[in-house]
Amino acid sequence: MSDLTIHELTGKLRECAGDAEGVDLDGDVLDVPFLELGYDSLALLQVTGVIARERLIDIADDAVIEAHTPRLLLEVINSSPNQAA
């Protein structure tokens, strides 16, 4: 499966956790902390849970919590192992 892109990630953030008022997720947000984008750790865990189920990958919760920006979260997601068959 191909790597998750920033556009796919921001789409999932919107779909699962909504848009924060005054935040433009379509801008250059790769290195903007999630808290500044309006997403807390619970929102990120919810989003990554959906992504993990859709992509059949294992994403460690503690790695998600430590990924403070979209760039770091994409690295975590895209390096996550496939679930055992």
Side-chain angles (χ1 to χ4, degrees), residues 44-83:
L44 295 178
L45 289 170
Q46 178 183 2
V47 170
T48 54
V50 170
I51 292 169
R53 283 189 300 278
E54 290 177 353
R55 293 181 155 254
L56 302 175
I57 57 175
D58 289 318
I59 303 172
D61 288 348
D62 47 334
V64 172
I65 302 288
E66 293 175 17
H68 298 287
T69 66
R71 181 185 307 275
L72 294 173
L73 185 57
L74 285 170
E75 289 174 7
V76 167
I77 293 169
N78 291 328
S79 66
S80 295
N82 289 336
Q83 294 175 356

Side-chain angles (χ1 to χ4, degrees), residues 5-72:
T5 67
I6 184 64
H7 299 293
E8 292 168 319
L9 177 59
T10 56
K12 279 294 173 203
L13 286 166
R14 284 185 175 114
E15 178 184 321
C16 297
D19 274 323
E21 191 172 316
V23 175
D24 179 15
L25 286 179
D26 295 321
D28 184 14
V29 296
L30 271 174
D31 296 310
V32 178
F34 280 113
L35 287 177
E36 287 182 30
L37 296 174
Y39 300 104
D40 62 11
S41 58
L42 292 177
L44 295 178
L45 289 170
Q46 178 183 2
V47 170
T48 54
V50 170
I51 292 169
R53 283 189 300 278
E54 290 177 353
R55 293 181 155 254
L56 302 175
I57 57 175
D58 289 318
I59 303 172
D61 288 348
D62 47 334
V64 172
I65 302 288
E66 293 175 17
H68 298 287
T69 66
R71 181 185 307 275
L72 294 173

